[in-house]
Amino acid sequence: MIDVQGVSGKKVEVKFYPKKVIKTVSFETAGTLDVDVDIKIGVDGNVPSVGNPPVSMPISFKVGKSQSEEAKQIVKLVKKYYLC
């Protein structure tokens, strides 16, 4: 997971998750008025700092509609290599 931070976008945090904590993957196509597609990857231990009781949150990111085929390939790769 790559998290771009700050106003300039120069600060980048990259997180790696071991295969055993990847539990689900989903892909949502763009609708007629949408400009992007959504990918969500369920990860055990991705817990936000607020909230009680703690709940694992999926890693969620948006991909431009023009790159939806590439997004589908990402989902296929996660399914093939992480959800065996």
Side-chain angles (χ1 to χ4, degrees):
M1 182 176 103
I2 299 173
D3 183 16
V4 178
Q5 302 172 353
V7 176
S8 66
K10 291 183 179 182
K11 182 178 177 182
V12 176
E13 178 181 13
V14 179
K15 295 180 184 179
F16 296 92
Y17 292 92
K19 182 177 182 177
K20 65 182 178 182
V21 300
I22 307 290
K23 301 299 179 192
T24 62
V25 62
S26 67
F27 177 82
E28 183 179 308
T29 60
T32 306
L33 300 176
D34 292 336
V35 294
D36 52 29
V37 297
D38 297 313
I39 296 176
K40 293 181 183 175
I41 301 174
V43 178
D44 276 350
N46 188 34
V47 181
S49 58
V50 296
N52 195 7
V55 177
S56 288
M57 300 296 291
I59 299 167
S60 179
F61 54 98
K62 296 183 180 295
V63 178
K65 198 176 195 178
S66 63
Q67 295 178 313
S68 63
E69 287 304 314
E70 290 89 343
K72 287 179 187 177
Q73 289 300 317
I74 291 170
V75 171
K76 284 181 184 179
L77 290 171
V78 170
K79 286 169 63 176
K80 181 176 180 178
Y81 293 105
Y82 287 86
L83 300 177
C84 308

